Structures are given as structure tokens and as C-alpha cells.
Amino acid sequence: MLSKPERVLLLYTDRYYLVKQVYPFGLDIIANALRHHGYDVTIACPFLTGTDTETGLEEILTDTAPDVIGLGIRNLDTTMSCEPFGNFEGHGYRTFYFLPEIRCLADIIRSHAPGIPVIVGGGGFTISPAAILKELGLEYGVVGEGEIPLLQFLEAFPDQKKIAEIPGMVLRQGDNFQISSRSAYAFPKALAPMKREKRFNYAYETAGLPVQVKRGCNQHCSYCVEPQIEGGRFIFRAHDEIIRELEMISQSYDEVRKIFFVDTEFNLPDLSSCSTLIRKIIGPGLHERFRFSSQFLPNPFDAEFAELLAASGFSIILTCDSFSDPVLEKNRSSHRQRHIATTLGLCEQFGIDCTVNLIFGLPGESHATLDHTIGEMMKFPPNAFRRYEYTMGGRVYQGTPLSHFVETRGDASHIYGKKTEGFLEPCYYCSPESPMKLKAYIENALPFSADYQNHQDTDKSRSLALAYLIDQEKWEDAAIKFSVSDIDAQTFMYDYFFRKVANSGETGMAKQISQSLAEAICQNDQTARYGETLSLIQYYLSILGALP
Ligand code: B12
Ligand code: SF4
């Protein structure tokens, strides 16, 4: 490539999208910034093409003919050590590990688009940048926020000297990598994301549309990578800009009902800024339009704040880790058991929907501390408003206090998994027993389960590939895929397909898919099983004025 790059392909490498449909927000922010500067940008996901990954990625590369490719790595793994359907296991644990598949993507790019520069970035990448580039056999990366460095890269390419000077740049130098320090981040006002990437409409309509209030975390929880990813200081967005964004979403995205504030923890550093924001949300009535969710610490949290959260319809994910003070203290959490108890009490009093997140097996965990946490959980059992999600052991990531603890202990007890370069391969600290044994112990002790399946099934993948076609308004292709799917898969996607195709004015197609599904149900003698779907079809056909 001799001329300056113009076409940029941003690849979302998150295979876990097939389990949880999380929107590629980081790539969206970057695409928005690049487009603002005149670049032709496509965001694509090779796992959603409905074919095998290689064919899918080759199609994407042929269709987009990129000058530069950005690989977005959001997740290295799921951080969970007991995934029943995981693809990576060792003594006492099983998880999903994504890097080997990302390496396959890099190989496909190398053979199908040789010579095209590939630059890697994202939260997962920022954890172990040099080790990841080495593993993928690639030259360039960006740690932290990517919009400005990527713009600078495109301007500088192929001048290696200029590229080396870009803040946050990771650059291969022989067998080593040079990592330039990051420059201080400020939300670039002109680049505020005012639209979302339509081809991932299904994600933001179902799992929640992400909105950012601030970046950073000033805490030091032993296992956590977020201060590394976002920085140890908070950088706030102007409230008025956030409200403007919510109003824009309200006007432009009819079907979006859930907003996820993607802050590290919403209620940090104190309650003042976030309380003001919630009041500003309530002011114009945005709380009547949306349900809000975010992650919270148990402290700071008080009755006035709980009342505000309840009034604005917030659901909260509470980072509790443990109910045991010695474990919390050893793992540098800033809250204690009394804060958790107060916050859970307030959530109950104000009817706030709350998911309690726990990690069993962190340093300091013993059978006594486990039993203590289990006892406290029983005092706050799951109910209509409260549920538990937990994992076993702390995933050891490079650069965290937990990795220093593990490296300096000198013995390998309580370590599950290999200590690979950059701690890329899943590796856990889990005490007093292995993750699997701990899980069995806890399940045995608790009268309720918090099981997660995280199953990646083929039907769901096909349905998501169909949604991807629908979101790109490739109606003919979507209709063909729909017609060859089995009745379960058609039923799963019918409502979504009908609404999108009908709203775009393609009423003939809307009628066609409705009638073909109704016929398939009747011909297969499945009217009892799919009664609800048949009623929906009838209702929609009546709206189209197509009923006899
Ligand atoms: C909010 C959040 C969630 C929400 C998402 C809600 C929603 N609707 O979006 C929920 C709770 C659903 C969630 C789920 C999961 N999450 Co989460 N999540 C986060 C969190 C806190 C913020 C992510 C975010 O949106 N940030 C805002 C965006 C704009 O920032 P960004 O992604 O960092 O992007 C910037 C840069 O990274 C960079 N960049 C990004 N891509 C690229 C690409 C290139 C080429 C370049 C140059 C730069 C670049 O530029 C971007 C713009 O500045 C992060 C932690 C964190 N602080 O980053 C964890 C985090 C990413 N999640 C994590 C995990 C493990 C998960 C789950 C697997 C949990 C589970 N077991 O189910 C799932 C995965 C779901 C999926 N399919 O991906 C881990 C990943 C760790 C790892 N091993 O890699 C993190 C780091 C949390 C942690 N403490 O460990 N998550
Ligand atoms: S767990 Fe939460 S509070 Fe602790 S360092 Fe991570 S983001 Fe910050």
C-alpha cells in the first residue's frame, strides 16, 4: 500500500457475543472518530457471518478491501473458572479462552490480505499488550483509549519513526516491543458518539445500549485489571453531554429501553456527581423512557442515593467479592461486610433490582471465611429483586496486585493453570481448594443455586447470524436464511425480523415471512406448541391488513 490509508476495517473478535450479545462499544467510538476525519470505516464480526470463521472473514476482507485492519480484543477469557461449556480446561477449572481463535483470525488475515497493516487494541489487549502481539505475530498495538492514537497511526503510516512517537503505541522492535506512555485522556467533545452501529442493533436493543459517564478507577482490588485499562484517575464526561446523548437515543432509537452505563463502578469516587446525573435524568423524564443498569460498589451508598436509584428505575450489579472482612482487606477492597449489609438492606427497602457479584477463593479465603460468606448469603437470600452471581478463584492477570502476590510467593500452591508469558493463558489463584471443588462445596452448602450455563449452541449462533443480516437490511439474504431455519429458530427471531422489515416499508417481505412460518407450524402439526407465535403472527398480519 503506497498511498495513504483510506479504508479501515475494525474487527470485533469477541466470540462470546454468541453467548452474551454485548455491543462493540470501543470499536464504535473509534469508528465514529475516524469517520469524523473522513475515513471509510466498517465494523464487522467474523463470527456472525453464518459460515465458518475462515470463509466469513475472507468474505469480510474481500467486501471491504481495507487499507488498515484494527483488531479489537475486549475479552481474553471470561474470568470465570467453572464454565460447564468452556473450551479450555486444566486441573480443577474450565473456562472460555479466546486468544487461540483470535490467533486464527490473525493467520487468516496474513494469508488472505498479506501486507495489510494490522493494529490491535481494546480492554483485553491492554492487559498484556506485548505478550499478545507476540502470540498473534503482529507488529502494532495501542494500549488504552484508541481513537486518537489510531487516527495518528493512520496519518503517520508507514513512517515508523512517527508511529513510534504516538502515545499509547506498542511497536515491535525485533524480538521486543516498545510501549510509549499513554497521554492523559479527555473525552473528545466533537467525537461524542451520537449514533450506534446499526449492524449491531440486536445487541443494543436486547442487552442494553452502552453509554459512558466516566473512565477510570481509583481503587486497587487485588484481581482487577480495570485501573490498568482505563487509568487510575477518573475522567468525567460533562453531564449535559450525557443527557444530550440519552435524549438523542430516546428520539432515534424507538425500541431501545435499556441503557447500560459502562463505568467501572457507577458510584465512584463519591455519590455527588452520580446523584446529580440521576437528578438530571429524572428532570426531563428520561427515567420513564429507559431502564438503567450499571456496576456499583457497596460503599459509598446511603438511603438518599437508594431512593434516587429507585426513583430512576436503576438495576444494580453490586461488586461485593466476599462477606468476609479479612478476605476483603487482604484483597484491598475498600468496602467491608457492614457496607454490603447496609446496601443490600437499602436495596430491599427501596425495591432496587440487585445482582450480587462474589468471588470465592481469593487470597485469604479459608473454610471458615467461606462458611461465613455462605451464612451471610442465607441472611440475604435470592428473591424477586435479588440474585447472586459468583465465580471461583481470582483470574491472575498481568500487572495486578494478585499477579505480584502470586509471583513473589515462591510456592505454587493454590495456583490453577500455567503461568504463561503475560499471564495470557487462564490461570487462577484459588484457596483453599480448586475452583471445581470449591464450586461443589458452595453448591452443596447453599439451598439455592446461582448456576450459569453460558452455552454456545448452533441454533442461537444461526439466529444471531440472521439478526446480523436483518440489521444490515440484507432482506433477501435474511429471508432465505429464515426460511431454511428450523421452526424453533424462526420463532426465536420472528418478532425481531417482522418489526425491522415492516418498519423499513418492506411489507411484502413481512407478510411472506409471517405466512411461511404460520404454514410451517401448521404443516408440522405444532399449533399447540407454538400457539403464542401463531397469535403474534395473526396480530401482525392483521396490522398489515392482510387477514382475510
Ligand atoms: C460494562 C462492562 C460489561 C457490561 C457490558 C454492557 C453493555 N451493554 O455494553 C456487561 C456486564 C454485560 C459485561 C459482560 C462481560 N464482561 Co465486561 N466489562 C465491562 C467494562 C466495565 C466496560 C466495557 C466498556 O464498554 N467500556 C467502554 C468502552 C468504550 O471502552 P473500551 O472497550 O475500553 O474501548 C476503548 C479502548 O479499549 C480502545 N479500543 C477498543 N477496541 C479497540 C480496537 C483497536 C484496534 C484499538 C486501536 C483500540 C481499541 O479504544 C476504545 C475507545 O476509547 C469492562 C472493564 C473496563 N473498564 O473496560 C469489563 C470487561 C471488559 N468485561 C470483562 C468480562 C470478563 C466480561 C464477561 C466475559 C463476563 C462474563 N463472564 O460473562 C462478559 C462478556 C460479554 C461479551 N460478549 O463481551 C473483562 C474482560 C477481561 C478479560 N479477560 O479480557 C473486563 C475487563 C472486566 C474485568 N474486570 O475483568 N461487561
Ligand atoms: S473491582 Fe471495581 S472498584 Fe475494584 S479496582 Fe476493579 S473496577 Fe475498581
Side-chain angles (χ1 to χ4, degrees):
M1 187 190 55
L2 294 171
S3 51
K4 281 281 166 201
E6 288 170 8
R7 287 181 307 277
V8 181
L9 169 64
L10 298 176
L11 280 178
Y12 195 33
T13 65
D14 180 20
R15 183 182 262 285
Y16 208 59
Y17 185 95
L18 301 174
V19 176
K20 283 187 188 168
Q21 290 75 56
V22 165
Y23 180 71
F25 193 29
L27 294 181
D28 175 19
I29 287 180
I30 291 176
N32 188 50
L34 299 188
R35 285 178 190 138
H36 190 81
H37 285 81
Y39 290 96
D40 173 359
V41 188
T42 307
I43 304 182
C45 177
F47 304 119
L48 289 175
T49 51
T51 56
D52 62 285
T53 313
E54 183 160 0
T55 314
L57 180 50
E58 285 179 3
E59 271 169 20
I60 293 171
L61 292 169
T62 306
D63 289 352
T64 53
D67 298 323
V68 169
I69 297 171
L71 273 191
I73 305 185
R74 184 193 190 278
N75 310 315
L76 296 178
D77 56 275
T78 57
T79 70
M80 315 283 268
S81 57
C82 301
E83 298 266 19
F85 296 96
N87 61 0
F88 188 87
E89 61 187 318
H91 169 63
Y93 68 90
R94 182 174 188 154
T95 189
F96 285 103
Y97 179 41
F98 305 118
L99 212 53
E101 274 173 316
I102 301 176
R103 195 174 46 220
C104 291
L105 297 180
D107 291 341
I108 297 167
I109 294 172
R110 255 190 298 273
S111 72
H112 194 82
I116 302 292
V118 180
I119 180 162
V120 192
F125 175 71
T126 301
I127 302 171
S128 294
I132 292 177
L133 284 186
K134 208 165 161 187
E135 181 72 14
L136 301 180
L138 295 172
E139 315 286 312
Y140 306 109
V142 168
V143 288
E145 299 77 16
E147 52 273 44
I148 305 296
L150 193 51
L151 268 170
Q152 293 170 332
F153 177 85
L154 295 171
E155 293 300 312
F157 193 83
D159 185 330
Q160 298 294 300
K161 196 163 164 287
K162 281 194 189 154
I163 290 175
E165 285 162 7
I166 298 171
M169 194 73 207
V170 191
L171 189 58
R172 185 186 282 273
Q173 311 264 309
D175 283 343
N176 295 318
F177 289 88
Q178 175 203 309
I179 305 183
S180 318
S181 44
R182 288 158 72 164
S183 57
Y185 186 68
F187 286 100
K189 205 170 174 201
L191 305 180
M194 280 301 162
K195 279 200 309 220
R196 293 296 184 272
E197 198 65 34
K198 207 168 175 301
R199 64 172 63 188
F200 295 95
N201 184 89
Y202 184 77
Y204 57 70
E205 241 179 67
T206 55
L209 185 141
V211 170
Q212 211 168 23
V213 171
K214 62 179 183 298
R215 280 186 80 86
C217 180
N218 63 356
Q219 307 284 299
H220 307 278
C221 306
S222 69
Y223 56 86
C224 186
V225 288
E226 300 199 31
Q228 249 168 280
I229 296 175
E230 298 202 358
R233 281 178 47 241
F234 290 105
I235 294 127
F236 294 89
R237 259 180 94 193
H239 282 170
D240 292 349
E241 215 178 278
I242 300 164
I243 298 296
R244 239 196 328 278
E245 187 177 347
L246 291 173
E247 279 169 343
M248 176 284 295
I249 296 164
S250 165
Q251 281 154 20
S252 315
Y253 296 91
D254 252 11
E255 309 277 343
V256 170
R257 289 282 173 269
K258 285 187 268 179
I259 300 289
F260 201 106
F261 289 121
V262 294
D263 297 27
T264 51
E265 308 286 353
F266 191 77
N267 56 338
L268 284 180
D270 54 43
L271 298 182
S272 71
S273 177
C274 55
S275 301
T276 308
L277 176 63
I278 298 176
R279 287 194 191 95
K280 288 187 179 169
I281 285 173
I282 295 176
L286 286 164
H287 64 303
E288 283 157 8
R289 172 72 172 75
F290 299 117
R291 297 272 312 161
F292 298 97
S293 311
S294 196
Q295 308 188 108
F296 291 70
L297 281 185
N299 183 46
F301 208 98
D302 61 20
E304 194 186 340
F305 186 56
E307 201 174 348
L308 259 183
L309 290 176
S312 52
F314 254 87
S315 298
I316 74 172
I317 301 173
L318 207 56
T319 309
C320 291
D321 296 346
S322 169
F323 279 85
S324 157
D325 280 353
V327 174
L328 290 169
E329 193 177 344
K330 187 154 179 89
N331 289 283
R332 308 183 186 200
S333 304
S334 58
H335 61 272
R336 293 292 176 265
Q337 180 192 328
R338 65 179 189 284
H339 300 120
I340 302 177
T342 307
T343 298
L344 291 182
L346 287 169
C347 287
E348 189 151 330
Q349 183 185 337
F350 289 96
I352 299 168
D353 183 272
C354 174
T355 303
V356 181
N357 271 353
L358 296 171
I359 308 176
F360 291 100
L362 286 171
E365 191 88 274
S366 60
H367 280 109
T369 60
L370 277 175
D371 292 344
H372 176 79
T373 293
I374 290 167
E376 292 303 308
M377 288 168 80
M378 305 241 220
K379 291 185 195 160
F380 297 98
N383 57 28
F385 286 100
R386 185 190 306 126
R387 73 202 61 80
Y388 283 92
E389 283 184 1
Y390 47 76
T391 184
M392 309 297 146
R395 162 64 159 106
V396 186
Y397 289 114
Q398 175 173 272
T400 55
L402 182 59
S403 76
H404 297 303
F405 174 75
V406 164
E407 300 272 39
T408 51
R409 268 167 74 242
D411 85 280
S413 56
H414 308 307
I415 301 296
Y416 297 87
K418 279 190 263 168
K419 291 190 212 170
T420 51
E421 188 177 346
F423 280 107
L424 290 189
E425 270 191 31
C427 174
Y428 307 88
Y429 180 95
C430 196
S431 148
E433 298 187 65
S434 77
M436 293 292 192
K437 281 194 177 157
L438 217 55
K439 183 168 185 269
Y441 180 84
I442 287 156
E443 281 175 357
N444 192 34
L446 282 174
F448 48 85
S449 93
D451 212 11
Y452 45 86
Q453 290 297 321
N454 298 347
H455 191 18
Q456 238 175 301
D457 69 57
T458 330
D459 286 348
K460 178 92 177 283
S461 302
R462 284 203 195 108
S463 300
L464 291 170
L466 175 59
Y468 195 55
L469 287 175
I470 296 169
D471 289 343
Q472 293 174 75
E473 302 193 351
K474 294 185 174 171
W475 304 125
E476 297 292 338
D477 293 348
I480 294 169
K481 196 174 263 301
F482 186 77
S483 66
V484 297
S485 303
D486 64 25
I487 299 181
D488 266 349
Q490 287 195 21
T491 304
F492 184 74
M493 267 298 152
Y494 168 69
D495 181 37
Y496 188 76
F497 195 0
F498 180 90
R499 284 186 288 110
K500 297 299 161 199
V501 76
N503 284 342
S504 77
E506 300 277 343
T507 46
M509 173 93 52
K511 207 161 142 185
Q512 180 197 317
I513 61 159
S514 305
Q515 286 168 341
S516 82
L517 177 54
E519 274 165 30
I521 291 173
C522 297
Q523 273 165 16
N524 287 288
D525 225 3
Q526 298 281 338
T527 46
R529 183 163 168 210
Y530 294 104
E532 267 181 41
T533 308
L534 281 174
S535 309
L536 185 69
I537 294 173
Q538 296 227 334
Y539 170 68
Y540 278 158
L541 284 174
S542 71
I543 291 177
L544 291 179
L547 271 186

